């Protein structure tokens, strides 16, 4: 009986840990707004973007090679950092009607201000990203 209780306790203790990565996905044509918790001052964060393009094969091959996005980071104290990001529109997994895009965005980020940040991504050229199903953000937390 003690072994069963110990095993159960071990499972409960290990299942209560914070996950090292989180994902959010916002459907539609944008803007895409993500809440990013960077409260842990001992951690660094990596960010990846993902999406799925939908359309015919002919529409896919006529797309520009990159989508220009405007990324706006808003800090907990309401400071704003804006940057332009090029998202390659070539994917590794493609069917006749879809193309999956998964691209590293930023690595080893240590925020100057801990807390919950807001990332808003807007397509600069709406026509270029009409086939986007939405935009996803993967946040990976790590300690060196």
């Amino acid at each position: 009986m003690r072994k069963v209780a110990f095993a159960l306790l071990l499972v409960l203790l290990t299942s209560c840990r914070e996950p090292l990565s989180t994902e959010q996905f916002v459907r539609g044509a944008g803007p895409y707004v993500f809440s990013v918790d960077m409260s842990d001052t001992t951690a660094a964060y990596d960010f990846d973007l993902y999406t799925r393009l939908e359309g015919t094969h002919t529409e896919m091959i006529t797309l520009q090679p990159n989508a220009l996005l405007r990324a706006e980071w808003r800090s907990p104290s309401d400071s704003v950092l804006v940057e332009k990001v090029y998202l390659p529109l070539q994917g590794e997994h493609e069917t006749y009607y879809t193309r999956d895009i998964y691209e590293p965005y930023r690595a080893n980020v240590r925020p100057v201000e801990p807390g919950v940040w807001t990332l808003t991504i807007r397509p600069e050229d709406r026509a270029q990203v009409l086939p986007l199903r939405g935009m996803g953000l993967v946040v990976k937390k790590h300690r060196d």
Side-chain angles (χ1 to χ4, degrees), residues 79-131:
S79 297
V80 177
L81 169 75
V82 177
E83 66 179 334
K84 295 195 185 244
V85 177
Y86 289 91
L87 179 66
L89 297 179
Q90 295 77 32
E92 294 181 16
H93 183 264
E94 185 172 340
T95 69
Y96 191 79
Y97 294 104
T98 64
R99 180 183 299 165
D100 293 337
I101 310 294
Y102 190 94
E103 188 67 25
Y105 167 44
R106 291 275 172 244
N108 206 32
V109 173
R110 295 182 185 275
V112 293
E113 182 181 340
V116 178
W117 289 62
T118 301
L119 171 62
T120 303
I121 297 176
R122 290 181 175 82
E124 289 283 316
D125 181 0
R126 306 288 288 168
Q128 188 178 18
V129 292
L130 282 178

Side-chain angles (χ1 to χ4, degrees), residues 6 20 42 51 54 110 132 137:
F6 179 73
L20 293 179
T42 65
T51 189
E54 295 178 328
R110 295 182 185 275
L132 288 182
L137 177 71

Side-chain angles (χ1 to χ4, degrees), residues 1-143:
M1 184 67 167
R2 281 186 165 191
K3 288 182 181 180
V4 172
F6 179 73
L8 181 59
L9 180 63
L10 187 61
V11 168
L12 290 174
L13 288 175
T14 59
S15 66
C16 293
R17 285 205 258 178
E18 178 184 18
L20 293 179
S21 72
T22 59
E23 295 183 25
Q24 301 172 57
F25 189 82
V26 179
R27 294 182 66 88
Y32 310 106
V33 181
F34 305 98
S35 180
V36 183
D37 186 357
M38 293 190 282
S39 300
D40 188 347
T41 58
T42 65
Y45 301 86
D46 297 339
F47 303 101
D48 300 328
L49 298 174
Y50 67 96
T51 189
R52 173 173 277 179
L53 302 175
E54 295 178 328
T56 66
H57 181 69
T58 305
E59 291 169 333
M60 298 283 189
I61 61 174
T62 60
L63 287 173
Q64 295 293 323
N66 298 300
L68 178 58
L69 307 173
R70 181 178 190 267
E72 178 182 295
W73 286 93
R74 187 168 298 275
S75 75
S77 66
D78 219 25
S79 297
V80 177
L81 169 75
V82 177
E83 66 179 334
K84 295 195 185 244
V85 177
Y86 289 91
L87 179 66
L89 297 179
Q90 295 77 32
E92 294 181 16
H93 183 264
E94 185 172 340
T95 69
Y96 191 79
Y97 294 104
T98 64
R99 180 183 299 165
D100 293 337
I101 310 294
Y102 190 94
E103 188 67 25
Y105 167 44
R106 291 275 172 244
N108 206 32
V109 173
R110 295 182 185 275
V112 293
E113 182 181 340
V116 178
W117 289 62
T118 301
L119 171 62
T120 303
I121 297 176
R122 290 181 175 82
E124 289 283 316
D125 181 0
R126 306 288 288 168
Q128 188 178 18
V129 292
L130 282 178
L132 288 182
R133 177 179 282 179
M135 184 70 63
L137 177 71
V138 178
V139 179
K140 299 175 200 160
K141 179 176 161 179
H142 57 88
R143 290 180 180 83

